[in-house]
Amino acid sequence: MEQVRTQTQTREQTKQNVHVYTEHYDKKRIYVREVSSNRYSLAAERRERLDRIPRVFTPELGHGKKENWAVMRPGDETFRSQSLDVHFVTVQPNGRNDGHGHQNEAMFYVLEGDGGYEMHDGKRYDWNAGDAVAVHNDCVHWHNNPNPEKRAVCLVMKPKPLALFLGLTYQGKIGYKPENEHLYEPRSEWLTARPEGDDEIPKVLPKDATPFELTPFGYTRRIAGEGVPLRIKGVEAYLHQIPEGSRSGKRWKMPDEVAYVREGEGYDLHWDVEAEIDDQYYARIAKKPTKWEWKQGDVIWTPHNTIVQRFNTGAGTAELIAGSNRVFNLLGYSRVHYFENAPEYDAG
């Protein structure tokens, strides 16, 4: 009966939302930022940008009726990266957001809220705090929070800028139709996505579905990526725990990364890496690292091609949620090099 009521509500909302795709923003929204230079080499532009950008910042997460709270987007005045679009989504008690669809997928991690659920293409998917949830490509969906007293809060990571750059631009609220629709045939099945068997991959990864493992970087639990039973293609994500008084491994990889500090405090050391091009590519590693202090509620951005090591200086275990764009692996940048392992890994 719940699904029947939900589908009825969807049809009613569809009638109300027809032509909502014609809405305009007061300020132009930047989906993909231009990459330009007066020189062939972009090294100088990159260096100038990195020298003036804070790599730790505290995003706003308020309590009003506002639904989306930006963390990192291409249109940010302090532009960092467009590998991922990262933001918070809040759903008020007994609330839901508008039904909508976009071609890019989205992975979200439930920070607060039990007993919530998704509606994806007419199917219900239940979630609780600590779960990871997949919104697949070309999915009509909305989030629901039936809790009468407490709001739900989710951290969303999605490779949306890449999808839009590739021309996957169909997005809108329920009721979207093509202009001059009389020029088109009646609607038919959407047959250019969702390979056979894709709908059998889980859409919700419960918090105990994957274990914490001891890796060279430390204690991590993977929540999206190769081998993880979650229907996400474009995002690598994991939880990272650092014991009191300890540190992570010292790691070098090409993708940039966004990490949200769920608990604890500490600091990062970042060794920037520049390129020297001779008979082959050579790395020039900074002699001294930069130090970036963080605390609960902060976001850490690690730039592309950076060596990082993370230290816990607070009482108790520090926990972070980190993610990056998975396309780097497909392009051949899947190798990770460790200069040092986490002490727990060496002890184990």
Side-chain angles (χ1 to χ4, degrees):
M1 290 296 296
E2 175 65 26
Q3 185 166 340
V4 171
R5 284 196 297 270
T6 303
Q7 291 173 342
T8 302
Q9 293 168 359
T10 302
R11 286 193 291 269
E12 291 302 315
Q13 188 179 30
T14 299
K15 295 176 183 178
Q16 297 171 11
N17 285 345
V18 172
H19 302 311
V20 74
Y21 61 88
T22 60
E23 66 185 6
H24 295 282
Y25 294 105
D26 293 333
K27 180 181 177 182
K28 179 185 284 189
R29 184 168 177 179
I30 298 174
Y31 291 103
V32 180
R33 192 174 281 259
E34 179 186 45
V35 179
S36 62
S37 175
N38 289 325
R39 295 163 285 193
Y40 180 66
S41 173
L42 296 170
E45 281 79 6
R46 179 179 187 272
R47 182 74 266 151
E48 290 167 6
R49 192 163 58 86
L50 290 183
D51 286 344
R52 59 181 169 78
I53 294 176
R55 301 184 191 183
V56 175
F57 58 99
T58 307
E60 183 183 6
L61 177 56
H63 282 275
K65 295 292 184 180
K66 183 178 176 181
E67 176 189 333
N68 288 305
W69 303 84
V71 174
M72 188 180 80
R73 286 178 164 160
D76 293 342
E77 291 185 9
T78 302
F79 172 64
R80 292 178 173 85
S81 171
Q82 51 193 358
S83 292
L84 294 175
D85 182 314
V86 185
H87 60 96
F88 298 109
V89 163
T90 59
V91 187
Q92 300 302 317
N94 280 328
R96 52 160 286 182
N97 65 344
D98 289 338
H100 62 286
H102 38 72
Q103 292 201 269
N104 61 274
E105 67 174 17
M107 187 221 77
F108 65 86
Y109 183 86
V110 185
L111 296 169
E112 302 173 21
D114 288 321
Y117 65 94
E118 297 290 292
M119 291 302 298
H120 291 182
D121 295 342
K123 295 182 180 180
R124 174 170 169 159
Y125 300 90
D126 294 276
W127 46 256
N128 294 293
D131 293 348
V133 184
V135 177
H136 61 269
N137 297 328
D138 308 326
C139 174
V140 176
H141 59 282
W142 60 90
H143 320 303
N144 302 267
N145 177 24
N147 189 304
E149 298 178 353
K150 296 182 179 180
R151 69 173 182 173
V153 180
C154 302
L155 176 67
V156 183
M157 297 182 176
K158 51 190 179 184
K160 183 172 185 173
L162 176 63
L164 295 175
F165 179 76
L166 294 175
L168 301 173
T169 55
Y170 287 119
Q171 58 185 29
K173 295 184 179 181
I174 291 177
Y176 174 94
K177 291 183 180 181
E179 296 184 40
N180 301 318
E181 61 176 302
H182 65 281
L183 300 176
Y184 298 87
E185 296 286 350
R187 68 184 184 187
S188 58
E189 290 297 316
W190 191 260
L191 299 176
T192 55
R194 308 177 193 175
E196 187 175 352
D198 207 43
D199 56 357
E200 298 175 8
I201 303 173
K203 298 294 296 296
V204 177
L205 184 78
K207 58 185 177 182
D208 57 355
T210 53
F212 270 94
E213 300 176 300
L214 192 49
T215 70
F217 200 55
Y219 293 103
T220 63
R221 181 171 83 84
R222 300 180 66 231
I223 57 176
E226 185 69 31
V228 177
L230 183 67
R231 193 173 164 183
I232 286 291
K233 307 292 193 301
V235 175
E236 291 269 355
Y238 63 94
L239 300 181
H240 183 202
Q241 291 185 344
I242 309 173
E244 182 176 346
S246 191
R247 58 171 174 75
S248 72
K250 183 179 176 181
R251 171 175 87 179
W252 179 19
K253 63 176 187 175
M254 183 60 68
D256 65 331
E257 184 175 88
V258 178
Y260 173 68
V261 183
R262 241 190 123 183
E263 298 178 8
E265 59 183 273
Y267 65 90
D268 274 22
L269 294 181
H270 291 182
W271 289 262
D272 290 352
V273 181
E274 292 287 351
E276 180 175 331
I277 304 175
D278 195 3
D279 58 313
Q280 64 179 54
Y281 268 72
Y282 293 95
R284 300 297 298 269
I285 299 171
K287 293 180 178 180
K288 294 182 179 180
T290 54
K291 183 177 180 179
W292 305 91
E293 295 183 346
W294 45 260
K295 64 185 183 308
Q296 184 177 9
D298 284 348
V299 168
I300 308 162
W301 175 61
T302 305
H304 303 83
N305 198 31
T306 298
I307 298 166
V308 62
Q309 191 164 31
R310 199 154 281 161
F311 295 79
N312 178 4
T313 61
T317 299
E319 181 170 278
L320 303 93
I321 305 166
S324 59
N325 193 315
R326 194 174 165 189
V327 75
F328 288 93
N329 295 342
L330 302 178
L331 293 174
Y333 291 104
S334 59
R335 183 178 177 182
V336 178
H337 179 76
Y338 285 91
F339 296 91
E340 297 176 18
N341 297 327
E344 295 79 15
Y345 184 83
D346 285 336

